Amino acid sequence: MANQMKRDMRLGLAHRLRSIRAQDAFWLLLAVALWCSALLWTGRASAQSMGPQTPLPSAIAVPDPEQSFRVLCYHDIRDNLRESFRTWPEPTAVDTDEFIRQLSWLNENGYHPVSLQQIIDARAGRGKLPEKAILLTFDDGYKSAYTKVFPLLKQFNFPAVIAIVGEWIETPAGTPVRFGDSQVPRAEFLSWNEIREMTASGLIEVASHSHGMHKGILANPQGNSIPAAVARHFHADKAAYESDDDYASRIKGDLIRNADLLQRELGSRPRAMVWPYGAYNMAAARWAAEAGMPVTMNLEPGPNTPQDTLLRMRRTLILHNHRLADLIEALQEPASYGGRHDPLERVIHVDLDYVYDADPQRQEANLSALLDRIVRLRPTTVYLQAYADPDGDGVADKLYFPNRHLPMRADLLSRVAWQLKTRAGVKVYAWMPVMAFKLPAEHPAATHVVTVMPGAPPAASQGRYHRLSLFDPLARKTIKEIYEDLGKHVVFAGILFHDDATLSDYEDASPMALAHYRDKWQLPASVETIRADAALRRRWTEGKTAYINAFTVELIKTLREYQPALLTARNIYAQPVLDPASEEWFAQTLPSFLATYDFTAIMAMPYMEGAADPEQWLGQLLAKVKAQPGALQKTIFELQSRDWRNDQPVRAETLVAHWRLLHLGGARHWGYYPDDFHQNQPDENVIKAAISVETFPIRR
């Protein structure tokens, strides 16, 4: 945002004293997250979903591409599901009667359950998949896979895959299985003899579900447990994270150990790895392939098309309250936007500087206050600051995660992002600069910065961020490594690129930039000469816009090594939207943003822009967006909740009126910045109806 936005706004704010536990109960968090996911998906309360059958909607006749397939993920199948929850509540369990209804519906409506072998053969050109192909999978190795599922599969002649956790199956009879924070009787899980009988039928293939990674491990100093396949283990005794080599050794060792176990007991090695909790990264997927499992399965929605690699097979998770209507809807889910055809984004943009406190107890109290507010407001998404900016100049002086290049103010981002995801049920986007990093003076890239051309007017430097030059190889490498460290240490759903990625019509005149213009763009190595010729100036402007966009794509690729299903958004100033000719002042254009990112977050901030009539200004901005085909589907209007001209909050009623104006004009997505949860600004009682998914129910 503009550099005047955050001038020590958090100073003097009252701190709430109510704290939350530093040590999470991982399984409790998982259950809460799954319950929230189920409720958001269906739009019904769980008690209602266990009631009478609802009428089935008409299936939308939008077929997947030819030779596509979908995968369903089941877990435990139970008689009298509601009653079973009294002793063992498990949100992934499905009632036996409901399971029979779902299999029957698939059988009667043209779906063709296929085997993993058929999928592998089709991808290798040795055959074709039937229309509406579907793969059935059953995770965790519950006893019900033998007592309930197997007889039904034989009756329907449906093939399936079961995924086995070696550590659980290896638990001796009579010894309880450590299932998260619970002790579950060993008799609730399959025996080797039962597995052998199922595989001998020819209907069942066994996949690995890890040997000992179906759990959370300590992943930050505050005590959060995060899925073992993706977390870097935090060693509390050493106050240090496991190294890259140790992480690789741990994951590879587990994959090989379970594959060896299955080969020893069943006579063949598994060909598929099913990631516990659906949590994985691309390095782990490649290690699985090296261990003989070139197929890995996650919990991402949507079809698996011929263009999709089997290294990250999408699966739809079926939960306890998913009825036939929900199954039908799930079979229509796209792969984009988290499985939503028509997403609605309600965004709260949060400064982590408001949560940080040098006193750990006060910091936990701040986090508790934030979580409570987000739970009450129920947006879809939180844009969460990943960098520290205590002086409010919009530049990252420090970071909130371990990294190689900048000081770490506090190891806080992982904690807050995980708590927001699991306790508040929102998608968390890491909000990061693209160029605005103030490296320590001794850093070799510290002086490799964006430069204004000699002789430029003083105004050319006013209000501009300190930025590293993307034309400098060392600066680019440094930024990429910062993003790599972010991906390694934090679990998040998306990335929001800050508004710092701009170059004016007097920038960049650094030596490396001038050499790039000359050698790569065949332009004069002089900004003054380029500016003097309209045609050259236009080529230069368009080149800078495309160059910045391309670098953000490289950063996205870096992050997707660690967060493969990453969503993307980028802030754009309002002026390039209102006046496309102003591209040369910003190196930003709405069409290029719409083509590059999942969402474009327009800084729809009339007071920051000095608009005489804010409503008229917003109407003009909306009209410009609507003029771009399909733009409303991908544009988030981010309003300001503070007037930085006088450092006073914008009235909550004004925010709601502006959202209403945008909504009536056709806008789908909106949010605000900043959120001052300490002072209840904006007033949650006023804004909730406009910002909450309780008003506009959606699935996630």
Side-chain angles (χ1 to χ4, degrees):
M1 303 299 167
N3 61 1
Q4 69 265 38
M5 281 189 175
K6 291 168 45 191
R7 299 188 184 281
D8 299 317
M9 288 189 288
R10 67 181 187 84
L11 297 180
L13 296 173
H15 294 284
R16 296 186 182 182
L17 298 179
R18 190 164 56 82
S19 66
I20 57 180
R21 291 178 58 193
Q23 176 66 45
D24 291 319
F26 175 77
W27 280 91
L28 175 61
L29 294 186
L30 176 63
V32 170
L34 289 171
W35 275 80
C36 290
S37 173
L39 294 178
L40 287 172
W41 186 16
T42 62
R44 299 189 295 273
S46 60
Q48 292 173 313
S49 70
M50 287 187 172
Q53 286 288 293
T54 55
L56 299 184
S58 299
I60 303 171
V62 182
D64 294 333
E66 188 177 355
Q67 294 303 293
S68 299
F69 65 94
R70 289 180 181 257
V71 187
L72 298 180
C73 172
Y74 292 93
H75 288 74
D76 200 8
I77 307 298
R78 301 181 184 178
D79 294 340
N80 303 315
L81 180 64
R82 181 199 291 269
E83 183 64 25
S84 77
F85 272 36
R86 294 180 182 274
T87 55
W88 187 6
E90 173 51 55
T92 61
V94 173
D95 189 89
T96 305
D97 290 341
E98 178 59 33
F99 179 61
I100 293 171
R101 276 191 287 269
Q102 293 182 14
L103 290 186
S104 299
W105 186 88
L106 292 171
N107 188 54
E108 294 166 4
N109 285 272
Y111 283 87
H112 296 92
V114 296
S115 67
L116 183 60
Q117 184 64 54
Q118 285 175 274
I119 292 170
I120 292 172
D121 285 345
R123 288 300 181 87
R126 296 189 295 266
K128 290 189 175 182
L129 294 175
E131 185 181 359
K132 297 166 75 172
I134 195 161
L135 177 64
L136 302 175
T137 66
F138 299 85
D139 289 5
D140 294 355
Y142 290 102
K143 175 73 74 174
S144 62
Y146 179 76
T147 60
K148 306 255 186 329
V149 175
F150 186 42
L152 289 167
L153 295 179
K154 289 190 291 185
Q155 181 178 339
F156 284 99
N157 196 33
F158 285 174
V161 171
I162 61 171
I164 301 300
V165 180
E167 191 173 70
W168 296 349
I169 302 300
E170 284 286 88
T171 301
T175 302
V177 171
R178 179 75 176 182
F179 190 85
D181 289 336
S182 302
Q183 298 286 336
V184 177
R186 174 63 182 82
E188 295 290 342
F189 295 91
L190 292 165
S191 69
W192 285 118
N193 284 336
E194 290 165 341
I195 298 171
R196 292 186 189 102
E197 180 183 341
M198 288 191 289
T199 58
S201 72
L203 287 176
I204 303 296
E205 177 161 344
V206 174
S208 175
H209 205 25
S210 83
H211 188 273
M213 292 194 294
H214 205 300
K215 61 187 177 185
I217 61 172
L218 185 65
N220 55 44
Q222 297 87 359
N224 284 109
S225 293
I226 291 176
V230 296
R232 300 299 171 115
H233 186 205
F234 182 75
H235 299 284
D237 56 337
K238 303 176 184 176
Y241 290 90
E242 68 182 336
S243 67
D244 289 353
D245 288 344
D246 288 344
Y247 169 74
S249 178
R250 175 169 61 84
I251 303 302
K252 290 179 180 180
D254 184 281
L255 294 168
I256 293 170
R257 182 178 181 183
N258 213 46
D260 288 346
L261 172 65
L262 294 176
Q263 182 177 38
R264 184 170 67 249
E265 294 292 342
L266 304 177
S268 61
R269 296 182 76 78
R271 298 184 295 178
M273 172 64 194
V274 176
W275 299 110
Y277 320 113
Y280 73 108
N281 55 48
M282 294 312 299
R286 288 189 289 269
W287 295 331
E290 292 172 4
M293 295 174 284
V295 177
T296 80
M297 304 184 191
N298 53 56
L299 290 175
E300 296 163 14
N304 295 279
T305 72
Q307 288 72 44
D308 293 320
T309 174
L310 298 185
L311 201 59
R312 46 175 302 195
M313 187 183 290
R314 297 186 180 94
R315 297 192 302 162
T316 295
L317 176 62
I318 306 298
L319 297 174
H320 75 284
N321 58 349
H322 288 176
R323 314 297 277 184
L324 273 177
D326 305 310
L327 175 64
I328 295 169
E329 185 177 2
L331 291 171
Q332 303 294 334
E333 287 184 327
S336 61
Y337 306 135
R340 289 174 288 154
H341 286 283
D342 298 305
L344 289 176
E345 287 289 293
R346 301 291 180 264
V347 180
I348 297 178
H349 201 147
V350 173
D351 280 337
L352 203 48
D353 290 336
Y354 281 62
V355 178
Y356 169 78
D357 197 291
D359 181 337
Q361 290 186 337
R362 293 173 71 183
Q363 184 169 275
E364 283 295 288
N366 292 343
L367 175 55
S368 179
L370 172 64
L371 292 171
D372 287 348
R373 179 170 170 88
I374 298 300
V375 168
R376 289 191 299 266
L377 285 173
R378 286 198 64 202
T380 63
T381 304
V382 168
Y383 290 163
L384 183 63
Q385 179 190 25
Y387 61 98
D389 181 23
D391 59 4
D393 65 356
V395 178
D397 303 299
K398 298 180 181 180
L399 298 173
Y400 282 116
F401 55 89
N403 72 96
R404 285 166 272 184
H405 296 290
L406 278 169
M408 182 172 65
R409 191 182 196 192
D411 191 353
L412 185 59
L413 181 65
S414 172
R415 166 72 165 172
V416 178
W418 188 252
Q419 297 294 91
L420 284 167
K421 170 184 168 68
T422 57
R423 292 183 182 265
V426 295
K427 298 189 300 294
V428 177
Y429 282 55
W431 168 30
M432 280 283 287
V434 177
M435 304 160 65
F437 297 96
K438 190 169 185 179
L439 299 172
E442 65 275 12
H443 193 286
T447 58
H448 299 199
V449 297
V450 171
T451 305
V452 174
M453 75 170 222
S461 301
Q462 293 176 359
R464 291 283 172 173
Y465 294 114
H466 168 93
R467 285 150 294 151
L468 298 178
S469 174
L470 299 185
F471 296 99
D472 183 88
L474 182 58
R476 291 171 68 92
K477 180 176 183 290
T478 299
I479 296 168
K480 283 185 179 180
E481 289 177 350
I482 289 172
Y483 272 76
E484 184 178 38
D485 293 336
L486 170 66
K488 286 180 184 178
H489 288 283
V490 186
V491 175
F492 51 98
I495 183 71
L496 171 70
F497 292 117
H498 187 32
D499 60 34
D500 66 302
T502 65
L503 288 172
S504 77
D505 52 335
Y506 293 98
E507 300 171 328
D508 179 6
S510 64
M512 293 301 297
L514 296 176
H516 188 93
Y517 306 154
R518 180 192 63 222
D519 299 337
K520 302 296 184 181
W521 296 352
Q522 287 74 55
L523 292 171
S526 163
V527 172
E528 186 175 18
T529 303
I530 293 172
R531 284 176 49 83
D533 183 289
L536 295 179
R537 185 168 176 163
R538 185 64 196 157
R539 281 178 51 205
W540 180 56
T541 296
E542 292 174 349
K544 290 190 294 182
T545 300
Y547 192 77
I548 295 173
N549 291 354
F551 183 68
T552 64
V553 170
E554 292 182 36
L555 297 179
I556 291 167
K557 183 178 179 181
T558 297
L559 288 177
R560 282 185 173 153
E561 280 290 303
Y562 303 94
Q563 325 286 340
L566 186 83
L567 292 166
T568 62
R570 184 173 165 193
N571 278 134
I572 188 172
Y573 286 93
Q575 195 59 33
V577 180
L578 291 167
D579 178 13
S582 67
E583 177 188 358
E584 66 178 35
W585 310 334
F586 295 94
Q588 296 182 344
T589 69
L590 179 60
S592 70
F593 277 38
L594 294 171
T596 305
Y597 313 104
D598 292 314
F599 296 102
T600 297
I602 297 179
M603 297 160 61
M605 301 180 175
Y607 306 105
M608 188 178 77
E609 298 290 344
D613 186 332
E615 289 75 19
Q616 182 184 49
W617 184 88
L618 286 169
Q620 292 171 344
L621 184 65
L622 178 60
K624 290 290 187 179
V625 174
K626 290 172 70 173
Q628 299 283 335
L632 289 177
Q633 288 292 107
K634 303 183 69 174
T635 300
I636 297 167
F637 293 86
E638 194 170 4
L639 275 60
Q640 62 186 105
S641 60
R642 196 167 194 87
D643 188 340
W644 294 288
R645 298 172 303 180
N646 55 23
D647 201 28
Q648 293 298 310
V650 174
R651 294 179 67 247
E653 292 81 0
T654 301
L655 274 179
V656 172
H658 289 172
W659 284 327
R660 185 178 298 116
L661 181 154
L662 292 168
H663 179 57
L664 291 174
R668 292 185 57 79
H669 317 295
W670 55 77
Y672 68 89
Y673 173 85
D675 184 77
D676 185 349
F677 57 88
H678 294 285
Q679 300 292 345
N680 186 29
Q681 292 175 353
D683 189 329
E684 63 185 59
N685 293 320
V686 176
I687 67 169
K688 179 171 181 176
I691 204 70
S692 174
V693 295
E694 291 177 356
T695 307
F696 297 98
I698 61 171
R699 292 191 300 277
R700 305 211 211 296

